[in-house]
Amino acid sequence: MSEIGSYACVSTTDQDPQRQLDELREFTDDTYDQAAIHAYEDITSGADSDRGEEYQRLRSDIENGILDVVIVHELSRLSRLGAGEIHDFLEFCLSHEMGIQDLEVGLAISLDDDLTDRAVSQLIAGAMGDLARVEHKQKLRRIQSGIDAAREAGRWTGRPQLGSMSKTAISRSTPTSS
C-alpha cells in the first residue's frame, strides 16, 4: 500500500482548500491501488513569514519516511510559502527518495526516472514556481496601484489600518490637501 501525502494551500480564510483536497483524493484513488492518503492543508499567503503548520508537518513526515509520494494540486501553491520554496521542496523530496506529482500540468518526478528526466522535470517545476512568484508580485502591484488610485480620488475603502483597535470597521481614505 502506498502512503500518499496530499498538500493543499489557499491564501486567505475566505478560500476553501476542500476542492483541491477532493481532486487530489480522486486522482489518488484513480492512480494508486489501496493508497493511504495523508491530507495536509494550509491557509497561508505569500506575504506571511511562516511556512504553514501543515507544510511543516508534511516535511516532517517526509523526513521520517512516512510517505512514498507527495501530490500537490499545483506547484505554485508551494511558491506561496516563500521565494525558492518550490526548488527547496523538490530537492528535499528527492533527497528523501520521495516522488512528487502536480495535477495542474501533470508534472511527475519519480525516483524511477533517470537522472536526465529528473533534471528536466526539476527545471520545468522550478520555472513554473518562478513564474508563479512573478505573477503573484504583479498581482500585488496591480492591487496596490488600484488602492493608491482610489485613495487619490477619495474613494478607497478597505480593512482598518494595521494597529487599528476595531477589527470590523471600514476605513475611508480622503485625499490630503496640499
Side-chain angles (χ1 to χ4, degrees):
M1 176 171 15
S2 297
E3 301 289 329
I4 309 297
S6 295
Y7 181 72
C9 183
V10 294
S11 300
T12 69
T13 55
D14 294 337
Q15 299 170 321
D16 185 1
Q18 193 58 50
R19 178 189 59 83
Q20 291 177 45
L21 292 170
D22 291 344
E23 290 179 17
L24 291 167
R25 176 172 292 285
E26 182 179 328
F27 174 82
T28 301
D29 289 345
D30 291 346
T31 307
Y32 298 92
D33 290 331
Q34 300 179 337
I37 300 172
H38 304 260
Y40 307 84
E41 62 182 90
D42 273 321
I43 300 173
T44 184
S45 89
D48 291 342
S49 58
D50 69 16
R51 298 236 166 139
E53 290 179 25
E54 287 293 287
Y55 179 73
Q56 297 303 333
R57 187 171 69 89
L58 171 63
R59 285 183 69 108
S60 176
D61 287 353
I62 291 168
E63 196 166 36
N64 292 325
I66 294 171
L67 304 172
D68 298 313
V69 176
V70 173
I71 303 173
V72 295
H73 194 268
E74 53 190 272
L75 283 172
S76 66
R77 299 293 167 176
L78 296 170
S79 69
R80 288 160 170 77
L81 302 169
E85 191 57 37
I86 290 176
H87 300 283
D88 294 344
F89 185 74
L90 293 173
E91 290 298 323
F92 183 77
C93 287
L94 292 172
S95 72
H96 287 87
E97 300 185 2
M98 173 84 41
I100 307 125
Q101 287 190 289
D102 159 89
L103 296 190
E104 183 182 42
V105 295
L107 180 70
I109 301 174
S110 170
L111 296 174
D112 297 333
D113 294 344
D114 66 29
L115 291 177
T116 303
D117 288 344
R118 269 198 227 175
V120 168
S121 295
Q122 286 178 279
L123 177 67
I124 292 168
M128 288 170 51
D130 291 342
L131 289 171
R133 206 167 36 252
V134 167
E135 179 183 339
H136 179 69
K137 287 180 182 180
Q138 288 174 333
K139 179 178 146 187
L140 292 176
R141 259 193 304 257
R142 285 191 301 269
I143 290 169
Q144 189 60 53
S145 175
I147 289 171
D148 292 345
R151 278 184 177 150
E152 287 176 21
R155 297 184 319 253
W156 183 76
T157 59
R159 294 182 186 155
Q161 291 182 344
L162 190 61
S164 170
M165 298 302 285
S166 172
K167 295 194 187 282
T168 58
I170 300 294
S171 62
R172 179 152 179 85
S173 176
T174 56
T176 57
S177 56
S178 304

